[in-house]
Amino acid sequence: MSLSFANSIAVQSRARALVPLCAGAGAYLFFLYVGDTLLQDSDSFWQIKIGQWILDHGAVPYTDFYSFTRTGAPWVSTSWLSQVLFAFSYAQWDWAGPVMLTAIGMALTVAIFVHLLDAQIVAPRAVLFAMLALMLSIHHVLARPHILALPVMVAWVGLLMAAADRRTAPSWTWLPLMALWANLHGGFVLGLALIGPISLEAVEHAEKGQRLSLFMRWVLFGIAALIASCCTPYGWRTLMGATNILSLGELLTLIFEWMPANFATFTAFEGALLGLIALGYYRGLVLSAPRIFLILFLTWSALSHVRSIEAFAFLVPLVLAKPLGEMFPRPQLETVGVDHWPARYVTALGALMIVAASWTTTALYMGHHRFTFTMTQTPVAAADLIEKLGAKRIFNAYQFGGYLISRGIPVYVDGRAELYGEKFVMDFFKATEGKKPALLPRLLDEYKIDATILVADAPGPEILDQLKGWKRIYADDIAVVHVRENAGGAAPPK
């Protein structure tokens, strides 16, 4: 083999390392371009507000101090590190900061995802899987903590699957990933739950005489991962805080991201499920029992809660990577014993050019585009009026809670459903959505409400229009404000 040909193969091999970087850069630029769509969930407001409080006080919250209905109640922030990052970026660059941070999170997710798949399948197929995963996840790509935890989730599961494919135990050097995940977002419990079935994949294909020792090494790793997940300011309470949301019962069917998947109209998720079934039948894909369990578990999670579709989108391909790699083997490049200098610099120079191009594009785009939050979540005029009225106890729409918190207005309810509990929030929805109209005046009296600010196109304002002692004083396309007619200081401004 000639030196030039060997050098060419080395360059091609190293240039392949640029594929994940290019894919990540593409994802970053895409989400930067559609950045305004990332700002449409009012939870972003209170996430940033809590992050600002943590930065100002150098501590994390242990009780609630943003509502008047749960003031002083125990509450832990399982996303404190993400909240700090979002708050810092917001302080530096206004809403462009959270948009860039979210885009970086998605870029890292895609780059890690493609890199992990590239070890088993050819790069074009890995990039195709990444594009499909983004298509499935795009509905839940928002400027919120779960996006910053997404690359950690992909890296964690990918490394565990790689260890199972090698029939070895995970490296203990990966445990900091779990600690990082636990500080970024409460979804780390998924990473803990997946250790068990992935370990069975490794044990099932190990040599018979090594299965018990391998299994015990996985068990020890699982225990260590559990301990690592408690390496947060809250310690073991992080686990409780992360699982509290699952105890909300019927309420989960009313919060969009926790709703079950809806197949009333054809969706990308439905297409992905049908495609997965078709692949199994058409190609006769044979999987081990642990891999089947993993796919069924991820599918069940996505069917139960739409927010789990992103885990399905990014983790199922990692579970299928090795079987697909065996079904579609990649062309083998001839190995080269000498690492020629041009090959090293192709990768380094290419990576620098990708980063420089992405940063330059960001600067140019931000120079003429101002990112703004969607108006449907920001009742600015209605909140201005509430402040002028001097109302202290405000009965607010669920989706307005985050925005009111950002303005320092104590709220009746907000997106922290686990703080308020199932009955409290269910009563709120039943009262304001017209399912139990008689419940609304009872809640207004029980909590001594001075004013209400509800969604304009919801039944709540119409019910209030019929209630004696309440008067509509403001309405626009976003919100409607009512006040008690006999409330001191609550007369509309002249």
Side-chain angles (χ1 to χ4, degrees), residues 119-160:
Q120 300 287 353
I121 61 179
V122 294
R125 289 198 179 102
V127 173
L128 177 61
F129 273 117
M131 294 174 64
L132 292 174
L134 288 177
M135 185 187 304
L136 290 175
S137 308
I138 198 166
H139 71 286
H140 202 221
V141 179
L142 302 163
R144 284 177 41 196
H146 67 281
I147 296 300
L148 303 189
L150 197 57
V152 182
M153 177 189 75
V154 172
W156 175 262
V157 176
L159 290 171
L160 293 186

Side-chain angles (χ1 to χ4, degrees), residues 13-225:
S13 178
R14 286 189 171 271
R16 201 179 77 191
L18 293 177
V19 174
L21 289 174
C22 290
Y28 170 80
L29 295 176
F30 172 77
F31 285 107
L32 182 71
Y33 179 72
V34 300
D36 290 311
T37 67
L38 310 180
L39 304 174
Q40 53 182 332
D41 190 313
S42 65
D43 281 2
S44 299
F45 285 105
W46 65 259
Q47 302 277 8
I48 290 173
K49 188 72 172 180
I50 291 173
Q52 290 171 337
W53 187 92
I54 294 172
L55 288 172
D56 292 341
H57 294 80
V60 292
Y62 285 86
T63 60
D64 171 57
F65 37 75
Y66 290 120
S67 74
F68 64 85
T69 52
R70 288 293 186 271
T71 302
W75 181 74
V76 300
S77 176
T78 55
S79 303
W80 75 272
L81 182 55
S82 294
Q83 290 159 351
V84 166
L85 294 174
F86 274 118
F88 179 81
S89 66
Y90 179 80
Q92 298 299 315
W93 300 287
D94 197 57
W95 283 113
V99 168
M100 287 191 297
L101 196 58
T102 303
I104 290 172
M106 293 306 300
L108 289 173
T109 300
V110 169
I112 294 170
F113 181 72
V114 172
H115 173 73
L116 291 169
L117 287 183
D118 187 52
Q120 300 287 353
I121 61 179
V122 294
R125 289 198 179 102
V127 173
L128 177 61
F129 273 117
M131 294 174 64
L132 292 174
L134 288 177
M135 185 187 304
L136 290 175
S137 308
I138 198 166
H139 71 286
H140 202 221
V141 179
L142 302 163
R144 284 177 41 196
H146 67 281
I147 296 300
L148 303 189
L150 197 57
V152 182
M153 177 189 75
V154 172
W156 175 262
V157 176
L159 290 171
L160 293 186
M161 287 304 306
D165 292 339
R166 296 192 303 269
R167 305 170 190 177
T168 60
S171 170
W172 287 55
T173 59
W174 302 345
L175 292 175
L177 271 179
M178 176 52 66
L180 175 61
W181 192 354
N183 285 279
L184 287 171
H185 189 254
F188 71 91
V189 292
L190 174 64
L192 294 175
L194 293 180
I195 294 175
I198 295 177
S199 70
L200 296 179
E201 171 66 18
V203 173
E204 180 179 324
H205 294 91
E207 297 292 334
K208 287 187 177 181
Q210 300 177 354
R211 288 180 182 176
L212 180 58
S213 61
L214 180 59
F215 177 72
M216 292 308 301
R217 289 163 62 192
W218 274 89
V219 169
L220 291 175
F221 179 83
I223 295 172

Side-chain angles (χ1 to χ4, degrees), residues 297 338 475:
F297 172 75
V338 180

Side-chain angles (χ1 to χ4, degrees), residues 226-239:
L226 181 64
I227 295 172
S229 71
C230 295
C231 294
T232 74
Y234 297 107
W236 62 270
R237 279 178 287 190
T238 303
L239 287 168

